[in-house]
Amino acid sequence: MAEKINYDWAKGFSLDFALSDGMSRNAVSTKRYLSQMKGMYHDAAAFEKVIAAGDPLVYEFYELGAPENPGDLAFGTSITYPGKIGNEYFMTKGHFHTILETAEVYYTLSGEGGMLLENPEGDTEFYPMEPGKVIYVPPRYAHRSINTGKVPMVSFFVFRGDAGHNYATIETKGYRKLVVEGDDGKPQVADNPRWR
Ligand code: ZN
């Protein structure tokens, strides 16, 4: 396992940034397997079937441990793997920021998919992610990356150091919308029957 090094957040630093597989050098990723996402996909039977066949890695992200200060910026890479549970694409859990009024930027490096946004008032957006496209996640919006393609989708992200992550709201309530493969084989946004 790669050794984690201490970056000098006061003096700045540069680092080798392996774009093809995230920050593999000097950084350890946080991994999310399907079994850690129970209840988040709408087809519970398909979910159990895929788990039984071997719990797949759905996504992982690399971060550098930025200081949790309003003046610092946390950044890293997120990798969402290709796959589906029933007709629903592999996705990240999605989260609000603990400090709700903080934004985030995602720049897609490889792969294809989209980002599902939702605010507490129920406004939703789905923006495409593909190499060269940048997404501005505005303050107050939960955000979830969804891989609708055949290869890993890798993006670079950056947000305010003290923003924090609130996963609990999505874990308990779910998203109002979900993204599924339509009969034409193309992604479509649908109402989530399990939302409460
Ligand atoms: Zn975020």
Side-chain angles (χ1 to χ4, degrees):
M1 185 185 278
E3 194 178 329
K4 210 157 191 174
I5 66 167
N6 289 317
Y7 300 99
D8 193 333
W9 295 88
K11 295 182 83 170
F13 55 86
S14 75
L15 76 158
D16 291 327
F17 198 77
L19 299 182
S20 60
D21 63 348
M23 283 183 282
S24 60
R25 193 181 293 253
N26 298 326
V28 176
S29 73
T30 301
K31 295 178 168 61
R32 299 282 186 239
Y33 292 88
L34 186 62
S35 57
Q36 295 169 285
M37 301 181 75
K38 198 169 172 59
M40 303 190 94
Y41 291 85
H42 78 92
D43 188 338
F47 179 89
E48 293 302 337
K49 212 171 153 185
V50 175
I51 297 261
D55 190 13
L57 178 62
V58 178
Y59 68 99
E60 59 185 317
F61 52 91
Y62 291 82
E63 53 191 350
L64 300 176
E68 294 179 5
N69 297 324
D72 279 302
L73 292 171
F75 66 94
T77 51
S78 168
I79 306 170
T80 309
Y81 290 97
K84 278 181 298 186
I85 303 301
N87 63 353
E88 191 174 8
Y89 297 102
F90 273 20
M91 61 189 181
T92 63
K93 284 187 176 184
H95 60 269
F96 288 97
H97 290 160
T98 309
I99 302 177
L100 194 58
E101 301 291 340
T102 54
E104 185 159 350
V105 165
Y106 281 81
Y107 180 70
T108 308
L109 302 168
S110 61
E112 61 179 307
M115 183 160 283
L116 191 59
L117 304 181
E118 179 176 309
N119 71 5
E121 289 71 40
D123 302 317
T124 62
E125 302 286 348
F126 183 62
Y127 293 121
M129 296 177 77
E130 57 184 58
K133 277 207 193 317
V134 68
I135 292 176
Y136 182 68
V137 178
R140 300 180 56 75
Y141 276 78
H143 34 290
R144 160 182 284 171
S145 301
I146 299 164
N147 186 336
T148 63
K150 302 266 186 275
V151 299
M153 184 173 77
V154 184
S155 60
F156 172 90
F157 61 83
V158 59
F159 60 93
R160 209 175 91 180
D162 65 341
H165 291 84
N166 164 13
Y167 291 102
T169 304
I170 301 295
E171 283 172 341
T172 52
K173 288 172 69 77
Y175 259 76
R176 287 173 170 82
K177 300 286 182 186
L178 42 83
V179 179
V180 297
E181 185 178 72
D183 294 336
D184 60 357
K186 296 205 174 90
Q188 61 182 51
V189 179
D191 287 330
N192 180 4
R194 291 160 68 93
W195 183 77
R196 53 187 184 274

